[in-house]
Each structure stands twice: as structure tokens, then as C-alpha cells.
Amino acid sequence: MALIVKKFGGSSVATTEKIMNIAKRVLGEKQKDDQIVMVVSAMGKTTDDLISLARGIEKEPYQAKYQREMDMLLTTGEQVTIALLAMAFKTLGQPAISLTGPMAGMHTNSAHTKGRITDITPERVHQELDKGQIVVVAGFQGMDDRGDMVTLGRGGSDTSAVALAGALKADSCEIFTDVDGVYSADPRMVPGARKMKEITYDEMLEMARLGAGVMQPRSVEMGKAFGIPIHVRSTFTTQTGTMIREDYTMEDKDFVVRGVAHDDKVAKIAVLGVSNTPGVAHKIFSSLASANIDVDMIVQSIRNIEKNVTDMVFTVSTDDLAQAKQVMDKVAEELEAIAVLVEEDVAKVSIVGAGMLGNPGTAARMFGALSKAGINIDIISTSEICISCLVKGSQLKEAVNSIHDEFFSGN
Ligand code: ADP
Ligand code: ASP
Ligand code: MG
């Protein structure tokens, strides 16, 4: 007997026909005593459509004062899918029950629209499994201490699935999606991208953080924390996909660069002409942190040495841009800065690989590939296992492909 968590993303459950097919497939593969927990996303582009609806009321619905209502709205998407999928199982003679995130014991903090799971109490899930039911859980949602619905950030159903697998001590966790595994770059952007047999949690986490939307970063953190291997595979074929796990078991780990990731949901903010004195960076970034805004790349550059003023340049997610701009306008006034500028035609391209640690030539190769393609680099940032460049958004596709060619063609 095995306890298996299977997560199906939005495009996998886009129509009732697809939902029916998933139910048939799951029953076809189920061993007699298997206990199965399904975690599902909203159908197709439902979450985007719900956000558009909100935009019909308020152009910037992600501002703090609307976030609770956004969660109320967005959690309805997943609730549609769980009911339909549970019904699909029943029509096939399989007892099944749908549970919302809170009913499945998903507790979160109160950070609306980007909540974090704080605890999971899955007793109800166990009870229903013990009755022989397939349990269908709504991804992307939980409840805070006040009893309010909270969503886990875009792509959050991955995190619901992996966290639930951890809390249930599941034997396996499968993420079914519209690609058949994790590739060396987004296969929609790079036609020659290669499918990986396996990738480590650390590398996948970095890829995900840097924009490889196939897995939400927090889901990979959860997998690592619980030591749960995650199998990313196709909804539409039965082929083996990619295993995300602690270390390599099948593939040669002698590669310098594991993958190229990109993120086009990036905006650049420049606070011009702030005083080059202690406390300024703290003021800027603590204000953003208080508003729960993640800051990514940061550069402080000298504007005028004689006057001792500098420019503070950083990037945020486009979702946070409106709020970040509001916060910065206020801070700029307090700091007597010259101006706050925003640039939206930017994107980030990154290379990831644990092997680049002792390989000093890697960065030069990446910059060389961009230079050959005539692409200017705006900001560079590095960590132990990645290098990122901010480029013009309109040149992103070319940037990703030229870097991928540099590291993956011919070997
Ligand atoms: P789901 O709705 O199943 O959660 P997502 O759209 O969130 O699916 O994630 C799957 C998508 O992730 C793919 O269609 C692909 O375009 C994108 N993607 C980005 N980077 C990668 C990568 N390195 N490998 C595979 N897919 C990737
Ligand atoms: N439906 C949510 C989204 O589109 C969560 C998910 O699909 O993982 O972001
Ligand atoms: Mg997803």
C-alpha cells in the first residue's frame, strides 16, 4: 500500500473532459490498496480571469487594502475544480470527497496573496482516506488564525501538494503538468532545451526562484525540508519525467551549468540622488520589507562623489510594482531624493549550476554570449550557484537562446 499525492496544474484540468480523463488515468494506475490524495489548481486560465475581473473594479487590485478580498476571489477557482474532480471519480464508481485547503488542515500566516504555510493538520484527510475515499484538495489556499482565506502566491498549488505530501508522510509526490519534465530552459522559449532525468533540490530551487515557473520555489523548499522526492511529469503521457531530489543518482553531475532560467515579470526602480550615508539603504529596504515586497537585484552606484549622493537601483516583481512605487515615493520625499524612476521593459536571464563554483570562466562565457548577440547588460548579480543579468525585455528571448546555445550546444 502506498500513499501518493498527485498534483494537477491549471492546463491539465482546463476542461471537464480533461478532468474526466485525469480521473480515469488515476484509477487506471491505482493499485488496490493505494491511498490517493489529489491536489488541483483552478481550471485553465481561471486565476488570470479572476484577476482581470478584479481589475474591472480596481486597476491595481494587489494593493494592501484589497489583498484580503483578492484571496476571497482567487480561492474560488480551485474550489470549482475539486468539486468537479470528486464528481468525476464518483461517476466512475470511485468514492471521493473534495476538501478546501482549510478543510484539509492547511494553516497559513496572514500575508494575503503571498501566504506561507505555517502548519498542516491533515487529520480529516487521513480519516477520509481510511474510509476508502480519494481525497481531492484545493491547491493554492489555506486559512489564517483569524479564519480568513489566504492564497500562497502564483503557482502555489505546487507548494500545497508538496507540503501535504510531507505532512501525510506520503510515499511519493507527483506534479503533473503540461510539459514532460524539467528542461535546461523553458521549452516554450528554447526549442532545443533538454529534458533532465533528475535535478537537485538546490538547483531546482534556484531555477524556480529565477523564473522557471514549472515549480513554485517554496514547493522545492518544502520538498527539501521534508526529504520528499518530487516527480515532475506530463499529464498527457505516461513517460517518466524529472526527479527532484537531494543528489544525483543517474546522471553525470559533471556539468558546470545545469539550466538557464528567465523572468519577465520584473521591474526596475531607481531612487536617484540619495545621500551616501549610513541608514539610507536600511530606510529604503525596510520600508519595502514592511510592505511585504521582495526585492531582488540591488545596485548602489555613485552619482556625485563631491556631493556624496548615490543612486539606489533595485528590481521587484511586476505584481509588486504599484505598491513599491507608492512606498518609494514616500521614502524619497523623506530622504529628499531627486526622483523615483520606474522601468518596465526589463527582464532577467540567469544560469544555474552547482558546478560553477570552482569555474571562474563561466560568467565570462555568459557575458560573451550576450555580447555576441549585441545585448546590453543592465545589472549583474551572482550567488554561489547562479549568475543573473538584467537585460531589455524585448531582447529576452534572444538572450536566453544565445546563453543556452553557449552552454548546451554540442555536448
Ligand atoms: P501548471 O499549470 O501545471 O502548474 P505551469 O504553467 O505553472 O503549469 O508550469 C509549467 C510551465 O513551466 C511549462 O509550460 C513551461 O513553459 C514552464 N517552464 C519554465 N521553465 C521551465 C523549465 N526549465 N522546464 C520545464 N518547464 C518550464
Ligand atoms: N491557480 C493558481 C495560479 O494560477 C495556483 C496554481 O495554479 O498553482 O497561480
Ligand atoms: Mg504551476
Side-chain angles (χ1 to χ4, degrees), residues 135-404:
V135 180
V136 186
V137 178
F140 182 50
Q141 55 175 251
M143 192 175 266
D144 71 4
D145 289 343
R146 283 192 292 250
D148 285 343
M149 296 297 279
V150 175
T151 61
L152 306 177
R154 296 306 306 268
S157 298
D158 298 330
T159 303
S160 308
V162 179
L164 200 51
L168 293 167
K169 301 194 170 48
D171 296 289
S172 72
C173 179
E174 295 173 293
I175 304 288
F176 289 85
T177 184
D178 59 358
V179 280
D180 57 4
V182 179
Y183 280 72
S184 55
D186 185 342
R188 291 183 202 288
M189 181 74 114
V190 179
R194 296 166 185 204
K195 185 174 141 186
M196 305 172 189
K197 286 200 181 80
E198 52 192 346
I199 181 169
T200 64
Y201 294 122
D202 289 341
E203 287 174 326
M204 187 66 233
L205 179 57
E206 211 63 5
M207 290 276 287
R209 236 180 29 83
L210 295 166
V214 61
M215 291 294 290
Q216 199 197 36
R218 273 180 218 154
S219 69
V220 187
E221 280 171 8
M222 290 276 177
K224 187 175 161 78
F226 286 117
I228 296 224
I230 304 166
H231 186 182
V232 181
R233 56 189 308 193
S234 166
T235 303
F236 309 111
T237 73
T238 53
Q239 264 174 35
T240 307
T242 303
M243 290 303 300
I244 308 173
R245 52 160 69 103
E246 190 59 42
D247 213 344
Y248 290 101
T249 60
M250 300 177 272
E251 279 181 334
D252 186 1
K253 52 179 143 180
D254 248 8
F255 27 72
V256 177
V257 171
R258 193 67 180 124
V260 183
H262 71 269
D263 189 353
D264 57 6
K265 290 190 71 190
V266 181
K268 186 173 89 172
I269 298 182
V271 187
L272 303 183
V274 288
S275 142
N276 189 16
T277 46
V280 169
H282 176 253
K283 172 86 193 159
I284 290 176
F285 296 111
S286 60
S287 309
L288 291 162
S290 308
N292 221 341
I293 296 169
D294 282 328
V295 173
D296 185 18
M297 301 169 120
I298 301 176
V299 182
Q300 183 180 347
S301 54
I302 300 286
R303 163 171 284 259
N304 184 329
I305 298 178
E306 274 149 39
K307 290 193 184 149
N308 205 25
V309 293
T310 78
D311 296 339
M312 195 68 85
V313 182
F314 56 89
T315 61
V316 295
S317 155
T318 47
D319 282 344
D320 290 330
L321 179 59
Q323 216 193 335
K325 174 77 165 66
Q326 267 180 10
V327 173
M328 275 310 98
D329 282 341
K330 197 158 159 275
V331 169
E333 221 176 283
E334 289 167 31
L335 294 176
E336 295 176 358
I338 298 171
V340 178
L341 300 184
V342 166
E343 195 179 333
E344 291 188 71
D345 180 30
V346 290
K348 190 170 68 166
V349 55
S350 310
I351 54 174
V352 174
M356 74 173 76
L357 253 170
N359 261 292
T362 314
R365 278 177 74 187
M366 180 184 191
F367 305 152
L370 289 173
S371 127
K372 237 190 288 169
I375 295 166
N376 189 49
I377 304 171
D378 198 357
I379 304 180
I380 297 169
S381 71
T382 63
S383 82
E384 279 191 349
I385 65 166
C386 79
I387 304 169
S388 300
C389 296
L390 196 73
V391 298
K392 269 213 160 318
S394 48
Q395 294 182 309
L396 178 64
K397 188 165 186 178
E398 217 185 330
V400 176
N401 276 280
S402 49
I403 293 169
H404 191 272

